[in-house]
Amino acid sequence: MADVGRKKKGHWFKEKLRVGVVGMYQSGKTAFMTSMINHLRKHDPSRFRIGRKGVGLQWLSSLPASSGVREFPYSAWRDALSLLEWPYKTVGASEYHCLLARSDWKMRSIDLSMIDFPGERLADMSMAGRSYEQWSDAILQVLGGTAEYRRHAGEWLETMEQGDLDVETLLSGYRRLMGRLIFDFLPMVTPSTFLVNAKGIYVEDDLIENGDLEGMVRRRVVGLDAGTQFAPLSETARRQNPQLAKIFAKNYFGYRRQIVEPLADWFNQCNELVVLVDVTSLLMGGIGMFNGNKRMLEHLLGYLELGQ
């Protein structure tokens, strides 16, 4: 939210502007931010209009990252794009923070912050502000309520309702389900550490390139690590397996605290959102990819309650 404070010297007001750049993985967030920053640093009013015609921006200085994340590597990605090379896959959050002046503002500057994050984490926004039980119900509604997801989830959903549950069978089955969703371009993969783990290491290339579903089941986790995994449980399964539900809830809250809440808190400070959509991915993935993108954005916007 806008936060205006007086600078002691120079009689400037600083107006904080927090811009959330939101999109699925491979939607182009890093390339977009690099291009946007380049426009801001070398502003040409004829190419990038700000306010009234002829209004210009002056880049004043870089500022330290303020969100407890690393600094966005603008120079490296700008140089890569100038050589017609795409930036590397984003596996951790980073922030670009700077101070700008507008030619039509005589007594104010803009304290601008933009954050880049792995698009896979967008699926985890289904956890923001939700208890384990609420999250479970929301995810199961997706898995069992839409034909494209139910086609892959049916077997696992049946296993979950079989009374006394075996933890390893349940978790390996959920990992297999997440792998199937990935290979069928269905984006509701949560916990997202199944793709980008808590240390920011992306799923191994050989697993994706070879479509190695069983390798993903063995080598990836749904949680912070192998010992703190969790999966959604229905109300019936939670009632029949109270101890398991308690363990999953504990692991869930640890995951939400470390992975989800820092990003959710930053989005809560935003006064602008830029939503990027990769139309080619939607066309390739079909209705399942479209519905998955829509559902994840609904989770994010529902949590933020914009305008309230």
Side-chain angles (χ1 to χ4, degrees), residues 7 28 30 34 46 51 65 71 73 85 88 104 115 158 161 172 191 194 207 211 213 230 267 269 302:
K7 192 178 180 182
T30 302
T34 302
S46 66
E71 187 174 327
E85 298 176 359
Y88 296 135
D104 60 339
I115 197 165
E158 291 179 5
E161 301 295 351
S172 63
F194 190 72
L207 297 180
L213 178 59
F230 61 94
F267 276 126
Q269 300 174 44

Side-chain angles (χ1 to χ4, degrees), residues 167-195:
V167 179
E168 290 306 316
T169 299
L170 185 70
L171 287 173
S172 63
Y174 191 65
R175 294 195 299 270
R176 185 172 290 104
L177 168 57
M178 294 295 99
R180 286 174 176 167
L181 298 184
I182 291 167
F183 293 133
D184 200 23
F185 304 103
L186 297 172
M188 202 65 189
V189 176
T190 181
S192 65
T193 46
F194 190 72
L195 279 169

Side-chain angles (χ1 to χ4, degrees), residues 25-204:
Y25 50 89
Q26 299 181 349
S27 62
K29 293 187 300 301
T30 302
F32 172 85
M33 280 184 56
T34 302
S35 177
M36 173 67 77
I37 293 165
N38 200 61
H39 275 297
L40 297 177
R41 290 176 66 106
K42 303 175 181 179
H43 185 240
D44 180 351
S46 66
R47 299 182 62 195
F48 189 175
R49 183 169 175 174
I50 301 291
R52 297 190 305 273
K53 186 177 180 179
V55 172
L57 287 175
Q58 179 187 1
W59 183 84
L60 298 177
S61 65
S62 294
L63 297 173
S66 60
S67 304
V69 298
R70 68 187 182 94
E71 187 174 327
F72 181 78
Y74 158 71
S75 297
W77 296 152
R78 179 202 58 198
D79 293 344
L81 289 171
S82 70
L83 297 173
L84 303 182
E85 298 176 359
W86 289 111
Y88 296 135
K89 171 78 184 80
T90 300
V91 293
S94 60
E95 179 189 12
Y96 185 79
H97 191 192
C98 69
L99 196 64
L100 302 166
R102 281 178 55 152
S103 61
D104 60 339
W105 288 3
K106 302 305 181 185
M107 297 294 291
R108 285 186 292 169
S109 62
I110 304 170
D111 181 336
L112 174 67
S113 174
M114 294 190 290
I115 197 165
D116 187 26
F117 68 98
E120 290 81 0
R121 299 287 187 244
L122 188 57
D124 287 340
M125 289 303 296
S126 58
M127 302 181 190
R130 282 191 167 111
S131 67
Y132 169 70
E133 293 77 13
Q134 291 170 327
W135 173 78
S136 291
D137 293 342
I139 295 302
L140 292 174
Q141 184 179 17
V142 175
L143 295 178
T146 54
E148 60 270 14
Y149 283 88
R150 190 166 56 247
R151 181 171 68 252
H152 298 292
E155 180 181 348
W156 182 80
L157 292 172
E158 291 179 5
T159 299
M160 184 184 58
E161 301 295 351
Q162 290 178 358
D164 189 17
L165 297 177
D166 177 74
V167 179
E168 290 306 316
T169 299
L170 185 70
L171 287 173
S172 63
Y174 191 65
R175 294 195 299 270
R176 185 172 290 104
L177 168 57
M178 294 295 99
R180 286 174 176 167
L181 298 184
I182 291 167
F183 293 133
D184 200 23
F185 304 103
L186 297 172
M188 202 65 189
V189 176
T190 181
S192 65
T193 46
F194 190 72
L195 279 169
V196 181
N197 72 15
K199 297 180 179 179
I201 299 174
Y202 191 63
V203 60
E204 297 87 340

